[in-house]
Amino acid sequence: MKRVFLTMACLVCLVANAQNYITDLDDTTIAGTWNADITTGDFNAGFDNEYWDIKPTGLTLADGGYSIISFANGSQWFFKGYWVTTAPNGKSFLHLTPWNSGQSNVNFRIAQFDNGKIILYTYNGNGKIELSKDTSAGVSAARVNAAKAKAYTLDGVELPTPNSVRGVIIQGGKKVVR
C-alpha cells in the first residue's frame, strides 16, 4: 500500500510540475512587438486562405491601436483589437479581431508567457509560434499589479473581495473576466 501511495504522490508532483501556470497576463502586459524565433506546423485552420502558405514572422499588439501579424513575404494582417482571456481550467487565450469584417477572428492558446518569451498555438493546436519581445523600442506599457489593484463592478461600485465575484469586473484599469 505504501508503494502505491508513494507512486501516486510522485505522479501528482510530476503532473503539477509539468503544467505551465501563466500569471499576471492581461491586455497591457502582452502589448508590444514580438519577433518570431520558431514557427512550425499548420496555420490554415485559423487563418484566412490568403495567408495559408506563408508563416508568421512577428506580432505587434497595440493596446488601443491596430495590431498586426507580419508574414515572411512582407505582407501584414491588421486587426482592430485584441484581448486576453483565461478559461476556468487556467488556459489563457489571445483573441485578434480583424479590421475588415470579411476576415476571420484569429485565436491562439498561450502556452507560455515569461521572461520576454511567449509561445502561441493555433486554436486547433496544429500551428506553433515562439516569439521574443522586441525591447529596442523601449517601454511599451506600464505594468500594474492587478492582484493588488482595487476592483470595481461595471456600475463603479468598489468590490471588497474581487476574487469572490464571477463575471466582468474592472481591476487595475482593465476589464477582467472571472
Side-chain angles (χ1 to χ4, degrees):
M1 187 69 173
K2 277 185 179 179
R3 184 177 288 174
V4 171
F5 178 71
L6 186 57
T7 303
M8 288 178 61
C10 288
L11 286 174
V12 168
C13 290
L14 288 173
V15 169
N17 288 334
Q19 293 177 359
N20 189 7
Y21 295 100
I22 299 171
T23 59
D24 295 329
L25 178 60
D26 62 23
D27 300 350
T28 304
T29 58
I30 202 170
T33 299
W34 298 85
N35 299 314
D37 298 326
I38 301 169
T39 306
T40 58
D42 176 13
F43 288 82
N44 295 1
F47 284 40
D48 285 352
N49 62 355
E50 62 197 272
Y51 301 104
W52 282 2
D53 296 328
I54 48 179
K55 301 287 186 200
T57 58
L59 181 63
T60 302
L61 299 171
D63 195 22
Y66 283 103
S67 297
I68 304 166
I69 295 179
S70 301
F71 293 91
N73 68 354
S75 65
Q76 296 179 319
W77 188 355
F78 290 86
F79 298 86
K80 64 180 171 184
Y82 75 94
W83 69 100
V84 175
T85 60
T86 302
N89 64 3
K91 291 183 179 180
S92 297
F93 297 90
L94 170 64
H95 310 279
L96 299 160
T97 305
W99 66 273
N100 180 346
S101 61
Q103 293 179 320
S104 304
N105 284 344
V106 174
N107 302 294
F108 291 101
R109 181 177 59 83
I110 303 170
Q112 177 183 336
F113 177 76
D114 59 7
N115 299 324
K117 296 274 187 190
I118 189 167
I119 297 175
L120 303 174
Y121 283 91
T122 56
Y123 200 69
N124 67 0
N126 292 339
K128 175 183 176 184
I129 183 167
E130 296 183 27
L131 302 136
S132 297
K133 189 146 192 184
D134 181 356
T135 56
S136 64
V139 177
S140 61
R143 189 169 190 167
V144 175
N145 187 347
K148 294 182 181 177
K150 290 184 179 181
Y152 301 89
T153 66
L154 294 178
D155 296 336
V157 177
E158 185 176 343
L159 297 168
T161 55
N163 291 336
S164 65
V165 176
R166 289 276 183 219
V168 178
I169 63 171
I170 306 298
Q171 189 173 25
K174 293 287 181 183
K175 293 176 288 201
V176 178
V177 180
R178 297 214 183 261

